[in-house]
Amino acid sequence: MTQIQKIITEKFADLQPMHDFVLAPLTYMKIGGPAEVFLELKTRASIVDVVQFCTSQKIPMTVFGGASNVIIDDAGLKGVVLCIANDEYEISAEDAHVVRAGAGMKTAIFVRKTIDDGLQGLEYFLGVPGKLGGAIYNNAHYMSNLIGEYVTRVEVIQENGKIVWLEKEACHFAYDYSLFHENRDILLSVEFRLTDGEKNLSLQLIKEATEYRAQTQPLGEPSSGCYFRNSPNTPELQKLLPQFAEKKEVPSSYLIDHAGLKGTKVGGVSVSKKHAAFFVNDGKGSSEDVKELAEVVKQRVFAEYGVQLREEVFFLKEKSYAKL
Ligand SMILES: Cc1cc2nc3c(=O)[nH]c(=O)nc-3n(C[C@H](O)[C@H](O)[C@H](O)COP(=O)(O)OP(=O)(O)OC[C@H]3O[C@@H](n4cnc5c(N)ncnc54)[C@H](O)[C@@H]3O)c2cc1C
């Protein structure tokens, strides 16, 4: 047993920490080695206890929610890996349009509950896999809709162990971006402001979005969604691709597809033939395959369009919350 395994097991035996726990099956990409210690935290209180303890003891932590937007290294993760799973849900007693939920609640379940409670606004996000914490971390999008637009406040544990509510403006939401890329805050809860809904209309929007996803995305295959972000438009791209001239971003799927990369494979990982921005795993893929394929795609797209693609997914290997 390692020192960290011993410390965490003694301190948090009731949370059933797992040692050398292989993470691949938990991820949508089905890639990733073992966590030195793995904990699934189902309550806000347990997240606070573990995070504050690990921070005070300088034990490295890595966090994920649904693991639908991450690649985990085959070598695994040192320290404590936390799966955030708190799924509290409440409508504000002061304002029936304000809803708060745990960062570990599945996004689809949250959206469905808000609709059942007579609210609308988040329908397009019902099809986004994973949990609210992950959706807020990267400001999940559907077409031009960004989930951050509906957020009023986010509750976090900061690196110094303090728990604070951050107003929406402080979260700096932008396309595929939030403040949480820049710091080591761990999201505990999210508060949204929605509007009065009409259930049948909401269900119709969900149906349309679900059908569109099924037509355009390789939903049956292991993947982390779009591997690359869409690329900021530039005067050069506007001339080269006038069909996107009015858009702020050019779809990475278009660039990858028209660079002839659909189906390109390294080891067990390939560029999806259905949606060129998705990397899919045939079940034998490794994190090295993912990185190599990403290089092949980046180089070809740069050669064709002069565009430097940037990852939308997150490599958890490089993300450690506490300094050793
Ligand atoms: C088939 C498919 C379709 C997809 N479609 C969409 C789409 O339409 N739109 C879209 O935006 N995305 C899409 N995605 C990507 C992904 O589902 C979303 O980004 C999702 O919101 C990620 O949530 P998650 O809980 O799985 O995050 P994870 O993958 O668990 O984590 C992602 C990042 O967030 C951080 N994080 C997670 N929870 C916390 C927390 N509580 N505190 C601090 N940091 C945290 C992690 O450390 C990591 O860096 C798709 C993915 C797949 C597989």
Side-chain angles (χ1 to χ4, degrees):
M1 213 190 275
T2 67
Q3 186 67 6
I4 290 177
Q5 287 172 340
K6 193 163 173 291
I7 295 171
I8 297 295
T9 302
E10 277 171 15
K11 177 83 184 161
F12 296 109
D14 54 325
L15 297 175
Q16 299 175 321
M18 312 285 275
H19 299 171
D20 307 319
F21 183 82
V22 176
L23 296 166
L26 296 190
T27 70
Y28 275 65
M29 193 67 181
K30 305 295 174 218
I31 285 177
E36 187 173 355
V37 178
F38 174 74
L39 282 164
E40 187 184 18
L41 301 176
K42 295 184 179 161
T43 64
R44 181 184 174 285
S46 63
I47 301 169
V48 171
D49 283 352
V50 172
V51 170
Q52 289 183 336
F53 177 77
C54 291
T55 306
S56 70
Q57 300 300 305
K58 303 206 183 315
I59 294 173
M61 280 180 284
T62 313
V63 172
F64 62 77
S68 64
N69 207 26
V70 293
I71 307 291
I72 296 177
D73 200 280
D74 303 320
L77 294 163
K78 291 284 170 222
V80 176
V81 176
L82 306 178
C83 173
I84 303 295
N86 61 319
D87 61 355
E88 306 90 3
Y89 176 92
E90 65 165 351
I91 297 196
S92 164
E94 291 82 45
D95 184 340
H97 298 110
V98 173
V99 197
R100 281 182 286 274
M105 177 174 257
K106 285 189 176 149
T107 304
I109 292 178
F110 175 72
V111 174
R112 183 63 215 219
K113 271 177 170 289
T114 62
I115 293 167
D116 289 343
D117 283 330
L119 297 168
Q120 69 168 21
L122 296 174
E123 289 79 356
Y124 288 139
F125 301 100
L126 183 130
V128 176
K131 298 178 181 169
L132 287 174
I136 297 307
Y137 182 88
N138 204 35
N139 194 12
H141 56 88
Y142 180 80
M143 308 284 184
S144 57
N145 295 273
L146 305 176
I147 199 164
E149 286 165 17
Y150 302 88
V151 169
T152 47
R153 299 188 297 162
V154 177
E155 188 190 30
V156 299
I157 311 185
Q158 296 176 320
E159 211 177 332
N160 57 13
K162 262 178 75 177
I163 298 171
V164 294
W165 279 96
L166 299 175
E167 298 296 321
K168 172 193 185 154
E169 291 68 32
C171 298
H172 300 306
F173 290 118
Y175 168 69
D176 273 354
Y177 182 79
S178 76
L179 165 79
F180 309 111
H181 288 204
E182 314 296 340
N183 62 31
R184 295 172 181 206
D185 290 358
I186 293 180
L187 285 76
L188 286 173
S189 325
V190 192
E191 185 182 90
F192 294 87
R193 175 179 287 282
L194 304 175
T195 53
D196 287 329
E198 205 278 285
K199 193 165 181 173
N200 287 334
L201 180 64
S202 292
L203 295 179
Q204 183 57 30
L205 293 179
I206 288 171
K207 186 167 175 277
E208 282 164 23
T210 306
E211 283 170 3
Y212 181 73
R213 281 176 190 279
Q215 277 162 21
T216 55
Q217 299 179 355
L219 293 184
E221 298 172 78
S223 86
S224 294
C226 286
Y227 188 87
F228 293 109
R229 299 173 186 200
N230 294 332
S231 299
N233 217 338
T234 60
E236 293 75 35
L237 279 174
Q238 280 168 325
K239 263 187 236 150
L240 210 56
L241 304 170
Q243 66 273 42
F244 301 117
E246 303 303 318
K247 304 266 182 207
K248 275 204 268 183
E249 282 105 18
V250 174
S252 57
S253 57
Y254 179 95
L255 301 174
I256 298 167
D257 187 2
H258 286 79
L261 287 157
K262 266 187 174 172
T264 305
K265 193 165 186 180
V266 173
V269 181
S270 56
V271 175
S272 165
K273 289 180 183 156
K274 195 163 181 185
H275 189 311
F278 278 58
F279 283 7
V280 290
N281 178 8
D282 70 4
K284 300 192 191 76
S286 67
S287 60
E288 282 311 304
D289 295 342
V290 172
K291 285 182 193 165
E292 267 184 52
L293 181 62
E295 269 319 298
V296 171
V297 171
K298 281 180 179 179
Q299 284 177 16
R300 182 89 67 83
V301 167
F302 188 75
E304 290 283 327
Y305 294 103
V307 169
Q308 194 69 61
L309 289 175
R310 287 181 60 202
E311 274 79 2
E312 181 171 323
V313 300
F314 299 96
F315 278 85
L316 282 190
K317 179 72 180 167
E318 291 127 27
K319 199 164 171 59
S320 165
Y321 277 76
K323 292 170 209 141
L324 258 185

